[in-house]
Amino acid sequence: MMMNYPIIGGTTAHLLGGASIGLIIGPFAGLIFVTIILVLQAFLFGDGGLTTLGANVLNMGIIGVFIPCILFLVMNKLFKGTGKKLYAMIFISAFVGDVLAAIAAGTELGLSTPTFQYGLSIAVPAMAINHSIIGVAEGIVTVVLIGTLLKLRPDVLEKSPILSKLPIFQNEPEPKEE
Amino acid sequence: MAKNTKKLNQKTLIVGLTVALIFVLVGVFMFSYSMKTLDKQAEQLGAEEKPVFTPPFVDYNIPGLDNEWGALIIGIAGTLLLFVVSLGVAKVLHKKKGN
């Protein structure tokens, strides 16, 4: 969240990381992790801020983490995540999580009139469009991260509350005793 | 935990941290001009900041070292701090769950 990437129109947006965290360590642990990041940023760097901490935890910690997890579980139930389908599911979960978190932030900004002079009709599309672009990057980064872990450390993902529901882990024989 | 798994976990952590630090390095030097966050845009749109307290490193800057190198130091220190704090919280929660 420290790194804000330039996107069209001279504006910037940053990756959330909520999807990758949620999918790997589960939504509840993911929420705690994102909250730690937001608290450190607010207290040390004045990024996000103390008075907006609640809104940020709601947007990035709850919506940004739980939505990708729920979406992924639903898609896994419907389409059985294997092969390319699995990567498409990860991408979609991360993308939608980012866009919905941005829409939530836009809604909060839009409802903050007159402190923020633009209403919902401007704030929501502005946030949603910006974060659709960064959502693509988030999707790619999440796919690469989880894809790498699936190849190198499937034993870690097997313990994930979310990714352990994948068919590759469900059909595997019982792990050997260590 | 088997010795091999422990070693593998340590290796994974080191690789993960290295990748995170490379991310910081690339981010700071390639995108540093856009490090200004959403509040800068909000200010352009007429919203004002009313800080309730002053953090020690406002907008990822070290006082007196307002350039990419300062941001790089902050980025590296921040990444390591986040790692240590998260590991600490995870250990405490894991212990509590175990009890």
Side-chain angles (χ1 to χ4, degrees):
Chain A
M1 291 176 210
M2 174 184 173
M3 306 300 166
N4 281 260
Y5 298 98
I7 44 180
I8 49 163
T11 58
T12 65
H14 61 77
L15 298 173
L16 302 187
S20 43
I21 295 166
L23 293 176
I24 293 169
I25 63 174
F28 293 99
L31 169 59
I32 294 173
F33 188 72
V34 172
T35 307
I36 293 172
I37 297 172
L38 293 170
V39 168
L40 286 180
Q41 281 185 318
F43 276 98
L44 293 177
F45 310 121
D47 191 6
L50 285 184
T51 51
T52 51
L53 190 59
N56 283 332
V57 170
L58 172 68
N59 301 338
M60 289 178 268
I62 297 177
I63 297 172
V65 173
F66 278 75
I67 292 289
C69 290
I70 294 167
L71 201 59
F72 185 85
L73 287 177
V74 171
M75 284 192 287
N76 187 44
K77 229 180 179 122
L78 293 175
F79 308 114
K80 299 273 171 249
T82 50
K84 281 181 188 162
K85 251 192 305 183
L86 169 62
Y87 293 116
M89 280 161 47
I90 296 170
F91 180 89
I92 292 167
S93 305
F95 177 82
V96 174
D98 258 31
V99 174
L100 286 185
I103 287 174
T107 307
E108 288 148 16
L109 283 171
L111 291 174
S112 303
T113 47
T115 311
F116 188 71
Q117 60 174 331
Y118 298 94
L120 285 172
S121 59
I122 292 182
V124 173
M127 288 296 285
I129 292 166
N130 283 3
H131 287 80
S132 301
I133 298 161
I134 208 75
V136 173
E138 182 94 48
I140 294 168
V141 170
T142 311
V143 166
V144 170
L145 184 65
I146 295 178
T148 309
L149 278 175
L150 266 173
K151 283 214 164 76
L152 301 178
R153 294 299 307 271
D155 57 314
V156 171
L157 297 186
E158 201 176 4
K159 291 178 187 140
S160 156
I162 304 294
L163 293 169
S164 60
K165 305 279 188 289
L166 284 171
I168 42 165
F169 297 127
Q170 296 289 310
N171 298 333
E172 259 186 9
E174 285 292 307
K176 282 177 200 161
E177 285 291 314
E178 284 168 355
Chain B
M1 192 185 290
K3 223 177 186 179
N4 273 351
T5 315
K6 207 172 177 182
K7 245 186 178 171
L8 206 57
N9 283 348
Q10 284 172 349
K11 213 172 151 187
T12 309
L13 280 181
I14 291 167
V15 172
L17 262 179
T18 310
V19 171
L21 292 175
I22 290 171
F23 222 81
V24 170
L25 193 76
V26 173
V28 165
F29 285 104
M30 287 181 72
F31 302 106
S32 58
Y33 80 93
S34 61
M35 197 98 79
K36 307 300 176 201
T37 43
L38 198 64
D39 49 344
K40 292 280 166 199
Q41 281 168 255
E43 276 167 26
Q44 284 170 9
L45 295 173
E48 268 179 64
E49 257 189 316
K50 289 175 193 158
V52 289
F53 102 115
T54 311
F57 308 104
V58 183
D59 290 337
Y60 305 100
N61 284 322
I62 297 177
L65 191 65
D66 189 5
N67 57 25
E68 286 100 336
W69 293 102
L72 180 67
I73 295 168
I74 289 283
I76 292 171
T79 306
L80 296 176
L81 179 70
L82 177 63
F83 172 71
V84 171
V85 172
S86 310
L87 199 66
V89 171
K91 284 211 161 155
V92 169
L93 291 178
H94 193 69
K95 224 177 184 178
K96 269 196 168 173
K97 207 178 170 188
N99 292 337

